[in-house]
Amino acid sequence: MTEILQFADQLIFAKKGKHLDDLQESIIKGVWDGRSYQEIADECNRSESRVRNIAAKLLQLLSEELGEDIEKTNFRSTFNRLNIFSSQNQRICHVSGSNHSFNYSPSILYNSKQDNPKISTNNNLKPTNFDFKLAPKIIKFYNRESELKTLSSWILDNNIRLISVLGLSGIGKTTLVKRWVDLNLDKFEVIIWKSLKYPKFLELLIDDLLNTCERELKATRDDKLKQLFDVFTYKKCLIILDDVHNIFTQGEFSGQYQSVYQDYQNFFKLITETEHQSHLILMSQEQCTEMECLDDELYPIKSLKLLGLEDGEILSGMGLKQDQDSGLKLIEKYQGNPMYLKDVALLIKDVFDGNVAEFLAEDSLVITKEMRSHFNQLFNRLSPVEQKIVVELSKFDQPLSRGELRQHLDFSSIDLINGLQSLQQRYLVSKIKDPILFNLSLLFQEYLRTIEKNSINS
Ligand SMILES: Nc1ncnc2c1ncn2[C@@H]1O[C@H](COP(=O)(O)OP(=O)(O)O)[C@@H](O)[C@H]1O
Ligand SMILES: [Mg+2]
């Protein structure tokens, strides 16, 4: 009990600059003991509505800080699950649940009133700023140990400022990054997770970031940008932008900024070219120039291209009847893409009563309707040149060389070269060496063949 009171008191002090008052303390004790608001109100000689009101604010504060929905009914069980202990200036809560665990260390305290955070006093302290509202909760996480290590080495050991995690949709970008963040919460003073699924103007994003850092916004865009880079310099921030491909143009080569989002290019460059101690992680299905760097000694940029999972573990818990062999075959067929595997597992359960071997005996590559809708979206993002290249590649059972493609397609050499590069930057086509051949993703090929068949039949 004392620890919960201390924890809440530190939190309120950090947020509001005031310690818990008697009423707040009685409310926390009462909620802990499972008493009704009416009982707590009677005991403190206050109205029930006032007690309810204050309790709601306290619960909200605690929920925000711990990233968990804390309510009156789960108050005690949640805190029992969280192992809270305090040392001078650091609290760590270890959340041990089935698959979800994270470290939490909110008490690196700052003086928010100062414009220059270098000059800080001990008054009016603020805790770490987290904004995780749009980040998924990871319940199950398999494999990807080496990818987690790579991210740690780039971000924590080598101070890489711009990291891109790239790959086809469903391959596990969001899951991997969230897992890494969960494991490294205590390494940053500010962590902000934003999705660009519905992209916004850079200026609005900057406003959002500054608001989370509780800065008063300056008037002009340039001043706000400067303000943000001041924060990046004086605090160790981790900013995560998911679904970045949405700021690129559909129907053109990959990674071309839509004109209204062109300023992002400058923003990404500034992140790498200016001196600060923060990091930006981008996740995208398409690569753009700013994500790739030929000379990483010159600029602190790295990109991690995610391939499919190879281990059978991903199928456990999907309720399938499988032996190791059939499980691995299924994974190989669906290129280890966890999203496709989830889709196909549902289908196997519905139609084959979960029997993987029976499904594999069908011997055809089944494209589920969810996959088809993903591929439709992907196909629509391609430029006309790329669409023609993939349709051509899909007609053959083997990879083709550039020369062979040129024979079949009436393109200029430059269009073909750009098209092939762009398709690789979308992870739809891969290159095989000696001799150089271009290979289309098998599932995408199957999808193209089925739409081709359908268009002939209709
Ligand atoms: N390493 C993993 N372990 C378990 N499930 C995973 C893993 N990676 C991805 N998934 C699951 O696959 C699906 C797609 O993953 P997601 O991270 O959203 O892909 P992306 O962001 O690349 O589109 C999600 O349902 C996620 O839970
Ligand atoms: Mg994602």
Side-chain angles (χ1 to χ4, degrees):
M1 177 74 250
T2 328
E3 282 183 329
I4 302 294
L5 280 176
Q6 269 177 8
F7 180 80
D9 182 60
Q10 283 183 30
L11 184 67
I12 302 293
F13 186 74
K15 282 251 170 198
K16 309 275 183 210
K18 284 192 229 157
H19 287 286
L20 282 180
D21 62 26
D22 290 349
L23 180 57
Q24 287 169 321
E25 207 173 299
S26 305
I27 290 174
I28 290 176
K29 280 185 194 154
V31 170
W32 179 263
D33 291 337
R35 268 174 288 158
S36 69
Y37 287 139
Q38 188 62 59
E39 285 170 330
I40 302 172
D42 291 346
E43 215 164 80
C44 307
N45 263 337
R46 307 290 166 98
S47 72
E48 197 246 12
S49 62
R50 180 158 170 70
V51 167
R52 188 178 285 278
N53 232 326
I54 294 173
K57 284 185 188 147
L58 284 170
L59 292 173
Q60 192 185 344
L61 261 178
L62 291 166
S63 303
E64 278 168 15
E65 280 306 298
L66 292 171
E68 295 238 347
D69 277 339
I70 300 178
E71 291 164 21
K72 185 169 184 297
T73 45
N74 68 8
F75 188 81
R76 192 163 183 155
S77 61
T78 307
F79 277 98
N80 276 336
R81 190 159 46 78
L82 304 180
N83 245 339
I84 294 174
F85 54 94
S86 25
S87 65
Q88 266 182 331
N89 237 349
Q90 195 177 42
R91 296 178 297 255
I92 296 173
C93 310
H94 189 71
V95 181
S96 51
S98 50
N99 274 300
H100 181 67
S101 82
F102 64 82
N103 290 319
Y104 173 74
S105 142
S107 35
I108 306 161
L109 301 169
Y110 290 91
N111 180 351
S112 74
K113 282 276 162 70
Q114 300 286 340
D115 233 59
N116 181 348
K118 264 187 193 164
I119 314 159
S120 68
T121 68
N122 277 330
N123 308 322
N124 202 3
L125 300 172
K126 291 261 173 200
T128 303
N129 305 91
F130 284 180
D131 176 359
F132 261 1
K133 287 191 256 328
L134 294 173
K137 214 173 201 154
I138 306 303
I139 312 290
K140 290 194 171 154
F141 185 82
Y142 301 116
N143 314 126
R144 302 274 190 223
E145 290 307 319
S146 76
E147 287 86 348
L148 288 170
K149 277 195 195 126
T150 301
L151 288 177
S152 294
S153 130
W154 288 348
I155 300 173
L156 304 176
D157 305 336
N158 291 305
N159 216 13
I160 302 293
R161 296 200 277 269
L162 183 73
I163 297 99
S164 308
V165 177
L166 303 164
L168 279 175
S169 84
I171 199 79
K173 302 179 290 295
T174 305
T175 308
L176 170 72
V177 172
K178 180 60 181 357
R179 174 67 176 167
W180 188 86
V181 173
D182 284 346
L183 293 171
N184 291 284
L185 287 177
D186 57 339
K187 312 282 189 319
F188 302 93
E189 295 153 44
V190 174
I191 303 184
I192 304 177
W193 182 293
K194 293 280 167 200
S195 166
L196 294 180
K197 189 164 188 180
Y198 306 103
K200 48 167 80 178
F201 297 131
L202 180 68
E203 186 167 357
L204 293 179
L205 179 81
I206 292 176
D207 288 357
D208 256 15
L209 300 180
L210 286 169
N211 278 329
T212 309
C213 301
E214 293 168 57
R215 303 268 142 173
E216 271 177 34
L217 299 184
K218 294 255 162 72
T220 68
R221 200 182 61 162
D222 280 358
D223 284 344
K224 285 185 210 168
L225 198 60
K226 189 173 167 300
Q227 244 184 320
L228 187 64
F229 276 86
D230 277 348
V231 179
F232 287 170
T233 305
Y234 298 123
K235 289 193 179 191
K236 194 153 187 66
C237 309
L238 177 66
I239 312 294
I240 302 115
L241 295 183
D242 200 355
D243 292 313
V244 171
H245 50 272
N246 292 303
I247 62 174
F248 302 139
T249 318
Q250 287 216 17
E252 285 185 19
F253 288 136
S254 71
Q256 312 288 309
Y257 295 85
Q258 293 180 43
S259 53
V260 284
Y261 304 124
Q262 189 67 48
D263 338 8
Y264 276 91
Q265 181 174 34
N266 195 29
F267 180 60
F268 298 155
K269 275 194 190 150
L270 275 175
I271 292 278
T272 53
E273 290 173 4
T274 55
E275 210 42 70
H276 57 82
Q277 54 162 335
S278 299
H279 308 268
L280 175 64
I281 302 183
L282 306 176
M283 283 172 266
S284 173
Q285 294 172 32
E286 275 175 43
Q287 190 182 320
C288 68
T289 322
E290 288 63 45
M291 294 170 178
E292 199 56 73
C293 177
L294 292 177
D295 184 352
D296 52 10
E297 277 186 8
L298 210 56
Y299 294 118
I301 302 174
K302 289 274 187 200
S303 58
L304 178 64
K305 283 145 205 152
L306 283 197
L307 299 173
L309 299 173
E310 287 173 355
D311 195 290
E313 221 182 332
I314 183 78
L315 296 179
S316 63
M318 288 192 189
L320 297 176
K321 296 171 205 152
Q322 40 142 354
D323 51 34
Q324 206 190 3
D325 195 38
S326 59
L328 288 178
K329 274 196 189 129
L330 186 71
I331 289 175
E332 198 188 327
K333 230 175 169 177
Y334 287 89
Q335 296 173 352
N337 183 309
M339 185 177 67
Y340 303 163
L341 285 165
K342 277 187 171 179
D343 282 350
V344 88
L346 274 177
L347 180 114
I348 296 174
K349 276 166 91 171
D350 288 346
V351 181
F352 297 84
D353 197 30
N355 192 320
V356 175
E358 222 169 282
F359 170 76
L360 291 172
E362 282 286 305
D363 207 31
S364 59
L365 194 53
V366 179
I367 305 291
T368 64
K369 52 184 190 312
E370 285 78 13
M371 285 181 211
R372 179 190 286 246
S373 115
H374 273 288
F375 288 143
N376 277 338
Q377 286 174 22
L378 252 171
F379 188 72
N380 289 332
R381 289 194 69 82
L382 302 185
S383 62
V385 167
E386 290 169 284
Q387 290 186 342
K388 288 194 183 124
I389 297 176
V390 289
V391 168
E392 196 55 38
L393 280 172
S394 76
K395 293 178 188 161
F396 297 85
D397 285 330
Q398 75 282 356
L400 297 186
S401 69
R402 200 160 47 82
E404 286 167 322
L405 276 167
R406 267 206 86 180
Q407 280 171 12
H408 296 289
L409 294 166
D410 187 21
F411 287 156
S412 69
S413 158
I414 198 77
D415 272 352
L416 182 61
I417 291 172
N418 283 333
L420 284 170
Q421 182 187 30
S422 181
L423 285 166
Q424 289 182 80
Q425 290 176 341
R426 299 177 196 273
Y427 314 99
L428 284 175
V429 166
S430 55
K431 186 179 67 210
I432 301 171
K433 285 187 196 159
D434 294 330
I436 300 174
L437 298 173
F438 295 93
N439 191 23
L440 182 64
S441 140
L442 270 185
L443 287 164
F444 199 60
Q445 176 172 46
E446 190 57 33
Y447 153 80
L448 290 170
R449 286 179 177 181
T450 43
I451 54 170
E452 188 83 346
K453 250 188 252 157
N454 290 348
S455 70
I456 292 168
N457 293 338
S458 60

